[in-house]
Amino acid sequence: MRNRLLVVPVIALTIVISACSSTSEGTRSPAPQPESPMPSASATASAEPTDGPAADGEQFTDEILTDLCVEKTRSYYSADVEFFPAEARIEARKVDPPWLVIVPSRTLGAESASVCTIGGTVSAPIFEANAAQTPPTDQEIQDAIDGVEHYTG
């Protein structure tokens, strides 16, 4: 419980989710390219594999990343939580772990979001950070993509 209480403020300072997209498909930016300073988001079908290596032969898909983040954070919410996986935002990060996953949700009548950074493999995912929080801003999302930390410790 103490770890969860420490993780939420750290993530809240690091990542703030922008207003949820009104589209029904999730978005994912392509894998960062060395010549491109910032990845851009583009709508994709959630069953497409994500770019990046997978040691176990399987690749993360938007659906798998979204499901992993929801399951990792479900216990952080009250029992009335409703997730919106079709509106999930998946971003390739410039640092490890390579995926930022933001899943909009609603709990206790308030907008919220599950936020996770995921690496590893499909069969053995690694979560560097995970939280249930208020939706982050575009700048906080960009900072999370870039690996910028807003805390000391």
Side-chain angles (χ1 to χ4, degrees):
M1 181 67 150
R2 185 161 165 50
N3 287 342
R4 271 194 224 153
L5 294 175
L6 293 174
V7 170
V8 172
V10 168
I11 298 303
L13 291 174
T14 304
I15 304 170
V16 176
I17 302 176
S18 63
C20 299
S21 169
S22 62
T23 62
S24 63
E25 292 186 358
T27 59
R28 178 186 68 211
S29 62
Q33 301 297 319
E35 65 275 359
S36 176
M38 298 174 95
S40 61
S42 62
T44 61
S46 63
E48 289 183 18
T50 61
D51 297 330
D56 60 2
E58 288 186 82
Q59 289 188 330
F60 286 113
T61 63
D62 289 355
E63 183 178 0
I64 290 170
L65 288 165
T66 299
D67 289 348
L68 286 168
C69 188
V70 166
E71 290 311 309
K72 184 71 171 177
T73 60
R74 182 178 298 280
S75 65
Y76 302 165
Y77 292 97
S78 66
D80 76 332
V81 66
E82 181 180 4
F83 294 98
F84 304 102
E87 298 173 20
R89 182 171 174 177
I90 312 292
E91 297 286 344
R93 299 179 72 218
K94 295 179 180 180
V95 296
D96 281 329
W99 301 112
L100 171 64
V101 182
I102 304 164
V103 185
S105 58
R106 177 181 290 281
T107 189
L108 300 173
E111 297 297 318
S112 55
S114 289
V115 179
C116 302
T117 55
I118 303 174
T121 65
V122 172
S123 60
I126 297 170
F127 295 84
E128 178 181 272
N130 58 86
Q133 64 181 58
T134 58
T137 66
D138 287 334
Q139 184 60 54
E140 289 171 315
I141 292 169
Q142 188 60 53
D143 287 349
I145 292 167
D146 295 338
V148 175
E149 295 181 3
H150 294 279
Y151 60 91
T152 59

